[in-house]
Amino acid sequence: MKSPKVIYVCRECGATSIRWIGKCPECGAWDSYDEEFQGDEKTKNPKIASNNKAERFSELQLPTYMRTKTGMEELDRVLGGGLVDSSAVLLTGEPGIGKSTLLLQICSELSRSRSVLYVSGEESKGQLKLRAERLGIEGENIYLLTETDVDTILAECTRIHPDVIIIDSVQTLQSQKFASAPGTITQVKEGAMAFINYGKSSGAAVFLVGHVNKEGGISGPKFLEHMVDAVLCFEGERMNSYRIIRAIKNRFGSTNEIGVFEMGDKGLVEIPNPSEVVMAERPRNSSGSCAGCVMQGTRPIITEIQALVTKTAYPSAKRTSDGFDHNRLGLLLAVLEKRMGLKFWENDVYINVAGGIYLNEPSADLSVAMALISGITDKVIPDQLIAFGEIGLAGEIRAVSHIEYRIKEAVRLGFTRILVPNKNLKNEIALPKGVTLTGLTNVRELPDCMSGKAVKD
Ligand code: TYD
Ligand code: MG
């Protein structure tokens, strides 16, 4: 028998080499080459020409997606309204973030109307039962299988006919057709493909769990992302109990939505009002803190931006930002230096966004700028003040979208002084008594707003 040919495959980008190399010439990753074997596959079925015909676009029927609620509204929102039949969803996150916990928790609700097969290659049945007991998971239609062999799992799928299959995790899958070790690019890709195909042909929805490496990439093949219908990222600090789930790809819904959870003794608890959580921990009477509002999909979320500005001890001042784009921070500092004469170049600047939210829209500029001004001047911004607006290079304050949603959320949380771009005030906005709305045109007006002096109310 011909012995299988050894090749080396980059785990990050899929590049191949006949020799092991330390640094991938394609993607630049270090120590990313795994040994794989070629030519040991069983002969695949010969391809038969299919009867697939092109159809007129105008004659196509609109699809109706069958969706099942997972019992976690935060997750349903990110999925686009529930789990779609036949879909393949990749759930990624660092080890220990709570992927298995989340999927185990949704089993109960799913099993009310569907049968669920939970396949674990990482934990024993006893461990899973113990965890399920603690989480209060019960249901006749939940099946548990601790297995890593792809064919054995597929055989069980054919026997049980589950409507939902959870594979925890793709990195443990192993197919006998390939001699490579579990976790290598061929094993992960082939294993994932087997279940995606099974889901498409049987109508079952498939959840695939994928661990991510330190750099945030899915360890193993990046191209798993292309094979599935949705990719959900589970994020959070292990030391902090808040967890955020976001879609980075979704064929059945928006990718802007986020779901917020808190990890507690009884597993993950949904946080339907993240703004309240962020604001509850806000320090009082402290300079360098300003409230802002960002849209995450259809939901406005109030955030707290903190800026610490201290005299630098280094030849060039330090800039660190967590939750806000580093380059955007540099740009805002340059605008404030140039247009307001503030001496940030003499100071180290640290920006932090509370609650683990990432400010990925320009409306956060104004609140970041206010926090920076408050940080450098040591003037406290009133607790009831909130600001949102985009800042241009000339220091002008530009209009933002969804202004009514943001104002409504700010009012709901008790803010009484709202700073917005003047351009957003073209239309009348109804406000409850006691709430003032101030329109701003330039960053030079900001110090007056902070001192309580009204500008163009
Ligand atoms: P896990 O879901 O196994 O993470 P992953 O599958 O992403 O690797 O567990 C995440 C962590 O959460 C684990 O360290 C223990 C903790 N945890 C709780 O704090 N409370 C709970 O109720 C459970 C089930 C886990
Ligand atoms: Mg796990």
Side-chain angles (χ1 to χ4, degrees), residues 164-376:
V164 180
I165 304 168
I166 298 169
I167 305 288
D168 188 4
S169 65
V170 284
Q171 275 99 351
T172 58
L173 289 178
Q174 188 165 28
S175 167
Q176 298 303 326
K177 290 183 195 137
F178 304 94
S180 354
T184 53
I185 210 157
T186 312
Q187 290 288 5
V188 173
K189 188 179 158 201
E190 293 297 322
M193 204 63 208
F195 293 102
I196 295 169
N197 287 341
Y198 178 82
K200 298 279 175 240
S201 60
S202 70
V206 180
F207 267 112
L208 299 168
V209 172
H211 296 297
V212 294
N213 53 22
K214 282 196 292 306
E215 289 77 36
I218 298 162
S219 47
K222 181 85 178 145
F223 43 72
L224 259 188
E225 292 187 13
H226 305 293
M227 291 158 49
V228 293
D229 299 304
V231 181
L232 310 186
C233 278
F234 210 11
E235 300 166 357
E237 295 294 322
R238 209 128 23 121
M239 293 296 140
N240 179 330
S241 57
Y242 296 113
R243 302 279 184 270
I244 293 180
I245 193 161
R246 66 176 84 239
I248 54 170
K249 165 181 172 176
N250 193 351
R251 289 189 181 142
F252 307 112
S254 151
T255 50
N256 293 322
E257 301 287 355
I258 63 164
V260 186
F261 300 88
E262 184 173 10
M263 180 65 95
D265 300 343
K266 293 218 157 47
L268 292 155
V269 180
E270 297 179 81
I271 312 240
N273 293 312
S275 305
E276 283 163 19
V277 175
V278 172
M279 286 300 119
E281 293 177 6
R282 195 176 175 195
R284 302 280 161 214
N285 269 330
S286 160
S287 67
S289 159
C290 183
C293 179
V294 285
M295 293 300 296
Q296 297 280 326
T298 51
R299 211 163 36 156
I301 295 185
I302 306 286
T303 52
E304 185 213 348
I305 292 106
Q306 298 187 327
L308 183 65
V309 183
T310 55
K311 277 264 174 293
T312 185
Y314 304 100
S316 65
K318 257 179 103 165
R319 271 89 182 89
T320 310
S321 87
D322 196 359
F324 187 68
D325 183 58
H326 194 261
N327 292 332
R328 191 92 197 153
L329 170 64
L331 183 146
L332 287 181
L333 289 171
V335 170
L336 297 180
E337 282 173 358
K338 177 88 179 165
R339 309 291 166 198
M340 296 178 67
L342 294 169
K343 298 177 180 172
F344 283 108
W345 64 84
E346 297 175 346
N347 293 283
D348 293 334
V349 173
Y350 304 89
I351 288 282
N352 181 42
V353 181
I357 307 270
Y358 191 83
L359 306 179
N360 52 1
E361 60 154 346
S363 74
D365 289 353
L366 194 55
S367 40
V368 175
M370 299 261 308
L372 286 168
I373 299 170
S374 165
I376 197 166

Side-chain angles (χ1 to χ4, degrees), residues 99-101 118 122-123 131 168 209 211:
K99 301 180 292 298
S100 308
T101 309
Y118 188 104
E122 302 192 342
E123 285 156 288
R131 186 187 288 202
D168 188 4
V209 172
H211 296 297

Side-chain angles (χ1 to χ4, degrees), residues 337-450:
E337 282 173 358
K338 177 88 179 165
R339 309 291 166 198
M340 296 178 67
L342 294 169
K343 298 177 180 172
F344 283 108
W345 64 84
E346 297 175 346
N347 293 283
D348 293 334
V349 173
Y350 304 89
I351 288 282
N352 181 42
V353 181
I357 307 270
Y358 191 83
L359 306 179
N360 52 1
E361 60 154 346
S363 74
D365 289 353
L366 194 55
S367 40
V368 175
M370 299 261 308
L372 286 168
I373 299 170
S374 165
I376 197 166
T377 59
D378 251 342
K379 283 198 183 130
V380 177
I381 297 176
D383 287 342
Q384 303 74 22
L385 187 148
I386 185 164
F388 28 88
E390 181 182 348
I391 295 179
L393 294 189
E396 81 279 16
I397 295 170
R398 312 170 77 110
V400 295
S401 62
H402 299 95
I403 192 80
E404 275 96 357
Y405 286 122
R406 297 179 205 255
I407 292 176
K408 214 167 141 196
E409 180 73 353
V411 169
R412 193 178 74 81
L413 283 229
F415 289 93
T416 52
R417 191 147 166 66
I418 307 174
L419 307 187
V420 296
N422 203 30
K423 293 240 166 60
N424 275 117
L425 295 182
K426 272 192 221 134
N427 300 328
E428 190 75 19
I429 297 170
L431 287 174
K433 229 171 147 222
V435 177
T436 58
L437 196 60
T438 306
L440 300 174
T441 48
N442 196 284
V443 287
R444 290 194 196 94
E445 297 158 19
L446 294 180
D448 279 348
C449 296
M450 285 164 57

